[in-house]
Amino acid sequence: MVEVIINGHAGRLEGRYHKAKRPDAPVALILHPHPQYGGTMNNKVAYALFSCFKDLGFSVLRFNFRGVGRSQGTFEDGPGELSDATMALDWLQANNPDARQCWIAGYSFGAWIGLQLLMRRPDINNFVAVSPPANEKDFSFLAPCPTSGLIIQGGQDDIGEPELVSELAMRLNTQRHIDVDFAMIEDGDHMYNGHLVDLYKIVGNYVISALSKKAPAKKRRGRRKKSEIAEQLLLEGGNPDDDMLDDEEYEDDYEDEDYDDDMLDDEDDSFDDED
C-alpha cells in the first residue's frame, strides 16, 4: 500500500492505493463517511471495505475528501465531494487501463456520493453502499439505477433508519435487468461495532458472486494465489477476526451529534507524522 496524491479541482487529494499484481485486475474506489462528523479514509468501515477488495485481488484506492487530512479545499456537502470522487476514479482508471471491471463502494455519506457518481459514469460495473443515509439525503436521482449492486444496513442503527434503507433497496430492485441485493446485519449499529467481520464477509461473498456471473472461474492447478485463498475463506464462512482489519491504524467513526474537531486530533495524533 502506498501514499498517493491526486490532483483535484480544489487542490491535492490524499489517498492510499493498493496495486494488484495482475494488470487486468478489477478496480474499486472506496468513499468514506461524513467529513464533518469525523469521517476519513481511515474510518474502520471504509478500511474494512478497502481490505476486502484488496484481499480479492482488486487494485483499490481510498482517499480523503477535500478538507480532510492532507486533502486541500473545504467541505461542500455534495458537489465538491462528487468532484473529488470523479477525479479519484479518473486517477484509478488511468493507472489501471486494462482493468476488466470498475466498482464503487461507499459508507454513509460516502455511499450517497458513490451512488451519484454511479449515475454519471457508465463505466462503473457494480456498487456497494453501506448505510446510505436515506433519512437525510434524497435518492430520487436513482431513476433508473444504472447497474446492479449491494446495499448493507445495520438493524440497530440509531443514526440512519433501517426501514428507509430497506425501502430504498426494494424500490431499486423493481427495475428490469437490475438486481440490488440487500443485507441487514440485525445487531449492527451505524458504526458496525463488533460486526466488521460480518460486513467483510457479506461484501466479499457478494463480490465473488457478481464476478462469477460475469466471468465463470476457470479450473487451475498448482499453488493457489492469495486472492483464491481469500475467496475460499469467504465462501466457506471462515473465522477471520478484527485483527484481519487492523493491520493499519484507523480512526473510529464519530458520526454523531457530539463530535468536535478535538476528537479527531486525539484519536490519531500520528496521522500527520505518518506521511
Side-chain angles (χ1 to χ4, degrees), residues 105-176:
Y107 165 46
S108 194
F109 176 84
W112 179 59
I113 296 296
L115 290 172
Q116 292 182 71
L117 183 61
L118 182 74
M119 296 298 295
R120 291 161 171 78
R121 298 292 292 261
D123 45 330
I124 298 176
N125 302 102
N126 214 309
F127 72 88
V128 175
V130 180
S131 301
N135 58 315
E136 296 179 357
K137 302 296 185 181
D138 182 9
F139 286 85
S140 62
F141 59 84
L142 291 166
C145 182
T147 189
S148 299
L150 169 67
I151 294 177
I152 303 175
Q153 175 63 36
Q156 303 302 314
D157 191 333
D158 59 355
I159 294 176
E161 295 185 22
E163 295 80 7
L164 293 180
V165 176
S166 176
E167 291 173 5
L168 172 63
M170 291 178 62
R171 175 169 61 83
L172 297 180
N173 214 16
T174 60
Q175 299 174 195
R176 295 181 62 185

Side-chain angles (χ1 to χ4, degrees), residues 81-268:
E81 290 72 29
L82 179 56
S83 172
D84 295 341
T86 300
M87 298 302 291
L89 185 61
D90 286 346
W91 184 95
L92 182 60
Q93 291 181 321
N95 281 273
N96 295 273
D98 297 322
R100 60 182 184 270
Q101 282 201 32
C102 177
W103 287 57
I104 187 86
Y107 165 46
S108 194
F109 176 84
W112 179 59
I113 296 296
L115 290 172
Q116 292 182 71
L117 183 61
L118 182 74
M119 296 298 295
R120 291 161 171 78
R121 298 292 292 261
D123 45 330
I124 298 176
N125 302 102
N126 214 309
F127 72 88
V128 175
V130 180
S131 301
N135 58 315
E136 296 179 357
K137 302 296 185 181
D138 182 9
F139 286 85
S140 62
F141 59 84
L142 291 166
C145 182
T147 189
S148 299
L150 169 67
I151 294 177
I152 303 175
Q153 175 63 36
Q156 303 302 314
D157 191 333
D158 59 355
I159 294 176
E161 295 185 22
E163 295 80 7
L164 293 180
V165 176
S166 176
E167 291 173 5
L168 172 63
M170 291 178 62
R171 175 169 61 83
L172 297 180
N173 214 16
T174 60
Q175 299 174 195
R176 295 181 62 185
H177 310 302
I178 293 295
D179 295 316
V180 176
D181 288 12
F182 178 67
M184 180 80 78
I185 299 178
E186 294 293 345
D187 296 329
D189 59 18
H190 187 72
M191 294 170 280
Y192 295 88
N193 290 313
H195 293 280
L196 285 179
V197 172
D198 296 328
L199 180 73
Y200 177 98
K201 287 185 178 181
I202 289 169
V203 174
N205 279 306
Y206 175 79
V207 173
I208 291 167
S209 176
L211 290 176
S212 66
K213 290 177 183 177
K214 294 181 181 294
K218 297 180 180 179
K219 293 183 179 180
R220 294 178 179 176
R221 296 180 180 178
R223 186 175 180 180
R224 294 180 301 166
K225 296 181 179 180
K226 180 180 179 182
S227 61
E228 293 173 311
I229 296 172
E231 174 176 333
Q232 183 179 19
L233 172 65
L234 290 161
L235 287 173
E236 294 180 353
N239 295 308
D241 53 36
D242 288 334
D243 290 339
M244 292 178 62
L245 308 176
D246 196 26
D247 58 356
E248 170 176 306
E249 286 189 25
Y250 54 66
E251 296 150 355
D252 286 334
D253 178 15
Y254 290 106
E255 195 161 341
D256 58 50
E257 60 186 8
D258 296 323
Y259 170 79
D260 59 53
D261 291 336
D262 291 338
M263 295 176 71
L264 178 58
D265 294 335
D266 293 340
E267 178 62 21
D268 191 356

